[in-house]
mmCIF file of all heavy atoms in Angstrom:
data_model
loop_
_atom_site.group_PDB
_atom_site.id
_atom_site.type_symbol
_atom_site.label_atom_id
_atom_site.label_comp_id
_atom_site.label_asym_id
_atom_site.label_seq_id
_atom_site.Cartn_x
_atom_site.Cartn_y
_atom_site.Cartn_z
ATOM 1 N N ILE H 9 113.010 -102.308 46.246
ATOM 2 C CA ILE H 9 114.192 -101.512 45.929
ATOM 3 C C ILE H 9 114.755 -100.933 47.217
ATOM 4 O O ILE H 9 114.092 -100.947 48.252
ATOM 5 C CB ILE H 9 113.874 -100.359 44.970
ATOM 6 C CG1 ILE H 9 112.873 -99.387 45.618
ATOM 7 C CG2 ILE H 9 113.349 -100.879 43.648
ATOM 8 C CD1 ILE H 9 112.720 -98.102 44.865
ATOM 9 N N ASP H 10 115.967 -100.476 47.117
ATOM 10 C CA ASP H 10 116.598 -99.818 48.253
ATOM 11 C C ASP H 10 116.150 -98.360 48.243
ATOM 12 O O ASP H 10 116.606 -97.581 47.407
ATOM 13 C CB ASP H 10 118.119 -99.916 48.124
ATOM 14 C CG ASP H 10 118.837 -99.159 49.226
ATOM 15 O OD1 ASP H 10 118.143 -98.595 50.104
ATOM 16 O OD2 ASP H 10 120.072 -99.129 49.194
ATOM 17 N N PRO H 11 115.256 -97.964 49.149
ATOM 18 C CA PRO H 11 114.729 -96.594 49.114
ATOM 19 C C PRO H 11 115.777 -95.555 49.461
ATOM 20 O O PRO H 11 115.570 -94.369 49.225
ATOM 21 C CB PRO H 11 113.607 -96.621 50.158
ATOM 22 C CG PRO H 11 113.997 -97.713 51.104
ATOM 23 C CD PRO H 11 114.719 -98.742 50.270
ATOM 24 N N THR H 12 116.896 -96.017 50.012
ATOM 25 C CA THR H 12 117.929 -95.051 50.393
ATOM 26 C C THR H 12 118.961 -94.854 49.285
ATOM 27 O O THR H 12 119.893 -94.081 49.442
ATOM 28 C CB THR H 12 118.663 -95.510 51.667
ATOM 29 O OG1 THR H 12 119.354 -96.745 51.388
ATOM 30 C CG2 THR H 12 117.691 -95.726 52.809
ATOM 31 N N ARG H 13 118.784 -95.574 48.189
ATOM 32 C CA ARG H 13 119.786 -95.474 47.120
ATOM 33 C C ARG H 13 119.821 -94.066 46.541
ATOM 34 O O ARG H 13 118.811 -93.526 46.125
ATOM 35 C CB ARG H 13 119.462 -96.475 46.012
ATOM 36 C CG ARG H 13 120.424 -96.389 44.833
ATOM 37 C CD ARG H 13 120.044 -97.364 43.740
ATOM 38 N NE ARG H 13 120.779 -97.081 42.520
ATOM 39 C CZ ARG H 13 120.489 -97.637 41.344
ATOM 40 N NH1 ARG H 13 119.501 -98.499 41.250
ATOM 41 N NH2 ARG H 13 121.191 -97.330 40.279
ATOM 42 N N THR H 14 120.975 -93.522 46.512
ATOM 43 C CA THR H 14 121.179 -92.224 45.875
ATOM 44 C C THR H 14 122.407 -92.339 44.978
ATOM 45 O O THR H 14 123.236 -93.238 45.138
ATOM 46 C CB THR H 14 121.415 -91.098 46.902
ATOM 47 O OG1 THR H 14 122.602 -91.404 47.654
ATOM 48 C CG2 THR H 14 120.235 -90.937 47.845
ATOM 49 N N GLU H 15 122.481 -91.448 44.025
ATOM 50 C CA GLU H 15 123.673 -91.325 43.183
ATOM 51 C C GLU H 15 123.989 -89.840 43.056
ATOM 52 O O GLU H 15 123.120 -89.047 42.686
ATOM 53 C CB GLU H 15 123.437 -91.910 41.781
ATOM 54 C CG GLU H 15 123.206 -93.406 41.751
ATOM 55 C CD GLU H 15 124.470 -94.221 42.023
ATOM 56 O OE1 GLU H 15 125.558 -93.630 42.139
ATOM 57 O OE2 GLU H 15 124.336 -95.457 42.125
ATOM 58 N N PHE H 16 125.188 -89.484 43.382
ATOM 59 C CA PHE H 16 125.634 -88.093 43.266
ATOM 60 C C PHE H 16 124.721 -87.148 44.063
ATOM 61 O O PHE H 16 124.541 -85.985 43.699
ATOM 62 C CB PHE H 16 125.656 -87.650 41.798
ATOM 63 C CG PHE H 16 126.240 -88.673 40.860
ATOM 64 C CD1 PHE H 16 125.473 -89.215 39.838
ATOM 65 C CD2 PHE H 16 127.545 -89.105 41.002
ATOM 66 C CE1 PHE H 16 125.992 -90.168 38.969
ATOM 67 C CE2 PHE H 16 128.089 -90.058 40.137
ATOM 68 C CZ PHE H 16 127.297 -90.591 39.119
ATOM 69 N N GLY H 17 124.097 -87.681 45.107
ATOM 70 C CA GLY H 17 123.212 -86.853 45.924
ATOM 71 C C GLY H 17 121.784 -86.793 45.394
ATOM 72 O O GLY H 17 120.922 -86.181 46.023
ATOM 73 N N PHE H 18 121.524 -87.430 44.267
ATOM 74 C CA PHE H 18 120.169 -87.440 43.710
ATOM 75 C C PHE H 18 119.405 -88.642 44.245
ATOM 76 O O PHE H 18 119.966 -89.733 44.401
ATOM 77 C CB PHE H 18 120.208 -87.517 42.180
ATOM 78 C CG PHE H 18 120.890 -86.359 41.523
ATOM 79 C CD1 PHE H 18 122.055 -86.549 40.789
ATOM 80 C CD2 PHE H 18 120.364 -85.077 41.631
ATOM 81 C CE1 PHE H 18 122.687 -85.479 40.170
ATOM 82 C CE2 PHE H 18 120.986 -84.008 41.012
ATOM 83 C CZ PHE H 18 122.155 -84.201 40.283
ATOM 84 N N GLU H 19 118.098 -88.436 44.468
ATOM 85 C CA GLU H 19 117.259 -89.540 44.914
ATOM 86 C C GLU H 19 116.711 -90.314 43.731
ATOM 87 O O GLU H 19 116.503 -89.769 42.649
ATOM 88 C CB GLU H 19 116.096 -89.000 45.767
ATOM 89 C CG GLU H 19 116.551 -88.409 47.083
ATOM 90 C CD GLU H 19 115.384 -87.934 47.933
ATOM 91 O OE1 GLU H 19 114.238 -88.054 47.484
ATOM 92 O OE2 GLU H 19 115.649 -87.434 49.034
ATOM 93 N N ARG H 20 116.459 -91.590 43.993
ATOM 94 C CA ARG H 20 115.935 -92.458 42.953
ATOM 95 C C ARG H 20 114.485 -92.100 42.588
ATOM 96 O O ARG H 20 113.707 -91.704 43.433
ATOM 97 C CB ARG H 20 116.018 -93.906 43.435
ATOM 98 C CG ARG H 20 115.376 -94.856 42.489
ATOM 99 C CD ARG H 20 115.466 -96.296 42.872
ATOM 100 N NE ARG H 20 114.773 -97.007 41.811
ATOM 101 C CZ ARG H 20 115.138 -98.152 41.293
ATOM 102 N NH1 ARG H 20 116.170 -98.775 41.751
ATOM 103 N NH2 ARG H 20 114.460 -98.695 40.309
ATOM 104 N N SER H 21 114.149 -92.314 41.302
ATOM 105 C CA SER H 21 112.772 -92.180 40.835
ATOM 106 C C SER H 21 112.140 -93.567 40.813
ATOM 107 O O SER H 21 112.824 -94.563 40.589
ATOM 108 C CB SER H 21 112.772 -91.569 39.427
ATOM 109 O OG SER H 21 111.541 -91.792 38.805
ATOM 110 N N VAL H 22 110.831 -93.648 41.027
ATOM 111 C CA VAL H 22 110.179 -94.964 40.998
ATOM 112 C C VAL H 22 108.960 -94.962 40.079
ATOM 113 O O VAL H 22 108.159 -95.873 40.123
ATOM 114 C CB VAL H 22 109.747 -95.420 42.411
ATOM 115 C CG1 VAL H 22 110.962 -95.721 43.255
ATOM 116 C CG2 VAL H 22 108.853 -94.393 43.065
ATOM 117 N N CYS H 23 108.822 -93.970 39.256
ATOM 118 C CA CYS H 23 107.624 -93.873 38.418
ATOM 119 C C CYS H 23 107.613 -94.967 37.340
ATOM 120 O O CYS H 23 108.630 -95.251 36.723
ATOM 121 C CB CYS H 23 107.557 -92.504 37.746
ATOM 122 S SG CYS H 23 106.017 -92.267 36.850
#
Side-chain angles (χ1 to χ4, degrees):
I9 62 169
D10 176 2
T12 64
R13 177 182 168 191
T14 61
E15 294 288 355
F16 317 119
F18 299 116
E19 293 182 359
R20 174 178 180 141
S21 162
V22 291
C23 186

